[in-house]
Amino acid sequence: MSVLVARAQAGDAEAFGLVYDRYVDQVFRFIYRRVMDRQVAEDLTSETWLRALRNLPAFRRPGGDFAGWITTIARNLTVNHMLSHQRRERPVAELRDAAPVEQAPNPEAAAMATLTRETVLAGIEQLNPDHRRCIVLRYLREMSIEATAQALGKTPAAVKSMQHKALRALRGLLSVTAVMPA
């Protein structure tokens, strides 16, 4: 494979096509497993290959590890996409209408469920931005630890720690809210 990559670096379009054929499915699967959206994965795969073509002359990896290099490009694009998508998400205040409160057996229970939801969302809005993002991704978007770690650019262990701290802070905010008169 390193011979094909070297030929592609020298401007051989056919060699680049062969390298593309060899790795395109691997790159697509790598991206798709992270974004879980076929169209987005196709777009990011295309962008990965455009960047690889643009930066091919600069490719210098120990042992000619092209697969690692192209995967790094794909990973960086995927993380950037996820972070960009996250920034465009609705603020917590807009999530109030996103998931309706389940039907309660009576009006009093429905009112309490709505009040509880409003209180929790207000508390989430008061968290620092990192903690707020973590809680929104984990509990409101129901993302796994691994997916949240990918979206935040953190390790799963760091997300678990952040989640713990965020929940502790939220608990503190909610206990203060509960004792304060409205």
Side-chain angles (χ1 to χ4, degrees), residues 63-79:
D65 182 17
F66 185 81
W69 184 69
I70 194 76
T71 301
T72 299
I73 295 171
R75 183 188 61 79
N76 290 342
L77 284 170
T78 302
V79 168

Side-chain angles (χ1 to χ4, degrees), residues 129-141:
D130 288 338
H131 288 172
R132 182 172 45 246
R133 279 191 291 277
C134 181
I135 295 299
V136 167
L137 293 174
R138 288 286 294 131
Y139 295 102
L140 299 179
R141 293 195 59 210

